[in-house]
Each structure stands twice: as C-alpha cells, then as structure tokens.
Amino acid sequence: MISPLYFIVGPTCIGKSAFAIKLAKKLNAQIINADSMQVYKDLTILTARPNTKETNKVKHHLFGYVKSTERYNVAKWCEEASKKINNLSKSKIPCVFVGGTGMYIDKLINGLVDIPHIPEIYKKKSENFLLKEGIENFYNIIKNFDNKALEKVNKNDVNRLKRIWEVFMYTNIPMSEWIKNRKKKFLNDPEYLLYLFLPDRKINYERVNNRFVEMINNGAVDEVKKILKLKLNRSLPIMRAHGVPEIELYLEKKIDLQECIRRGQQVTRNYVKRQHTWWSS
C-alpha cells in the first residue's frame, strides 16, 4: 500500500513551489518534481528550479538530475517517480508532487501507452523531415496514415506530431492503434488529492513577464552560454526550453536584449495559455 499522494498543479509562475513546501512540512512529506524542464542539471534559472534555501526546508527529488544530452520523456519520468513513491511509502512518507507538466501527472495516475523505445535515428529523421516539409505539410502527411491520433493534438504541437510520425515509421503501427491496445500502469489505483491553482490569466501573464526579467537579471544569459558551449543537437528538449532560443539569438547579435526579453515573455505566456487550457479541460 503506497502512502497518499498530493499533487500541486497549475500554470507556471503562480507560487506552487512555496505552497508545496508548506504542505510538505505540515504532512512530514517529501517533494517530487513534476516539471519536464526542471529535471535538467544545466537549467536552473530559466526553469525557476527551487534554490538551496528551499530544498533545505524539505527533501526534494527528481530536480536537476538529467544530463542536457539526454532526450528525457514522460515514460522515463513516470518510471523514476513511481520508484520514489514506492521507496518513500516503505517509510510511510507521503509524497507531494509539484509542477505544471500536466501530461506527466496524467500518465503517472492513469497509465501510459506502452510503445517500444524509438531509436535516436528516427527522432533525427522526424526533425529533418519536419524542417524540409514545414509544419502544414507534416501535419497533412500524418493525417494520411493516422488521422485518429490527431483528434486531440494541436496543429502546432511539434513534439506530439513528431512522436506520431516516429512511432508509425518505426513500428508500422499507427499511434492510435498503440493507444487502443496497449496500456502500461505505473500505480495501482492510488489514493491521491489534487490541488489545482488556476489564477486570473492576465495576472498570470504579468507575473510571467516580471519573472522573465528577473531571470535575465539573475544570470539566465550566462546559463544559456554554458549550454550552447556543449554544442547539443537542436532537437533535444533542453534546446527548446523557454528562453533558450531567444537568448541564443541575442548572443548571436541577431536581436537586442529588449527584443530577447519580449520574445521570451511571449513564448512563456503562450505556454501559460496552453496550461490553462489543459487544466480547464
């Protein structure tokens, strides 16, 4: 029997981490990260990862432990998270999950389509094919072989589109068929409580704008400089983290700092909008 699980969820920049620490202290619980970008070692500032002062208050897990070169995903996170839950439950320690990546939490609770591991070469192929065809053609090509898989996918959701393409090209079985026939469970009917915070969207946008400026002032540019020195494959998740492409353009002198900030704020607001939609549905 696993200990009760608590999920602190909602859009970015609304104070989830502070609330999670208060709740964890009250419950004598430990905190587990549920943010897809806070797993990376080399992204501290741009992901607003908890600082040492915060992690000293309560034990934190699955923060900043993944290399930038790794193509981390929801399946890997679910495996790691379920291990943490089982280990902490042996000592009757409750788990408080905190993060805005709705898909991570959904798949941990409800299970994940058990698709074979897709080789790296197919991921590179999908990236190159998308660049060659453009998003519109890429979407229409997928429509021809797996229209059903696109029913709940945004036309501009590049990552999910590439995933559908890769799965079919590697297995010759449409993603929709995998979803229908194979399901992998990580937890067996867990007892959990979900705290959902959905603030006024305009206030959320203002907080995002202010925080991006703070990130720039706190060293985000130097953080991106270090990542760029690694000369990573552009299709890796860390290279698409909010702020990384925008700061890269600034470092290349293609835009000035004010434009860099404006774009960084915009992409983050777009993400917040998607998060509001996800959690409202």
Side-chain angles (χ1 to χ4, degrees), residues 7-16 34-35 97-102 105 194-199 204 271-272 274-276 278-280:
F7 295 93
I8 316 302
V9 301
T12 191
C13 204
I14 59 170
K16 295 189 299 293
D35 182 288
F97 285 81
V98 60
T101 307
I105 294 161
L194 190 144
Y195 294 84
L196 171 60
F197 293 89
L198 276 179
N204 206 165
Y271 176 57
V272 166
R274 293 196 298 274
Q275 286 180 307
H276 272 267
W278 171 278
W279 292 114
S280 298

Side-chain angles (χ1 to χ4, degrees), residues 45-156:
I45 299 167
L46 279 176
T47 61
R49 203 164 77 207
N51 57 38
T52 305
K53 184 179 177 181
E54 292 168 318
T55 56
N56 283 341
K57 291 178 182 177
V58 176
K59 181 79 173 173
H60 284 59
H61 301 275
L62 305 188
F63 288 88
Y65 70 105
V66 176
K67 293 179 181 178
S68 299
T69 53
E70 187 173 342
R71 202 179 290 278
Y72 202 70
N73 57 43
V74 61
K76 291 179 182 179
W77 180 83
C78 285
E79 293 283 1
E80 296 287 345
S82 58
K83 285 178 188 174
K84 291 292 179 186
I85 291 168
N86 291 330
N87 289 338
L88 292 174
S89 292
K90 289 174 185 175
S91 302
K92 300 190 183 327
I93 298 173
C95 301
V96 174
F97 285 81
V98 60
T101 307
M103 186 182 290
Y104 275 24
I105 294 161
D106 174 49
K107 301 310 178 188
L108 178 66
I109 295 171
N110 298 314
L112 185 69
V113 180
D114 192 14
I115 298 170
H117 173 72
I118 306 298
E120 188 69 20
I121 188 170
Y122 282 87
K123 294 176 181 180
K124 290 178 180 176
K125 281 181 179 179
S126 70
E127 183 76 14
N128 292 333
F129 191 57
L130 173 61
L131 287 172
K132 177 187 172 186
E133 295 292 333
I135 189 75
E136 190 75 30
N137 283 345
F138 192 68
Y139 181 88
N140 289 330
I141 288 166
I142 293 172
K143 210 172 183 179
N144 289 330
F145 62 77
D146 198 358
N147 189 39
K148 190 167 182 59
L150 295 173
E151 287 177 359
K152 295 184 179 180
V153 177
N154 186 293
K155 206 167 187 177
N156 294 313

Side-chain angles (χ1 to χ4, degrees), residues 15-34:
K16 295 189 299 293
S17 295
F19 181 81
I21 289 172
K22 288 180 182 178
L23 181 63
K25 289 176 78 171
K26 184 177 180 179
L27 298 170
N28 291 319
Q30 295 185 15
I31 292 174
I32 300 176
N33 171 46

Side-chain angles (χ1 to χ4, degrees), residues 113-116 118 122 142 144-149 161-182:
V113 180
D114 192 14
I115 298 170
I118 306 298
Y122 282 87
I142 293 172
N144 289 330
F145 62 77
D146 198 358
N147 189 39
K148 190 167 182 59
L161 292 177
K162 288 198 298 181
R163 179 71 171 155
I164 295 168
W165 187 91
E166 291 159 6
V167 166
F168 181 70
M169 291 303 154
Y170 178 60
T171 67
N172 210 29
I173 299 171
M175 173 74 89
S176 54
E177 286 299 312
W178 284 102
I179 291 171
K180 186 168 65 177
N181 298 320
R182 295 170 172 84

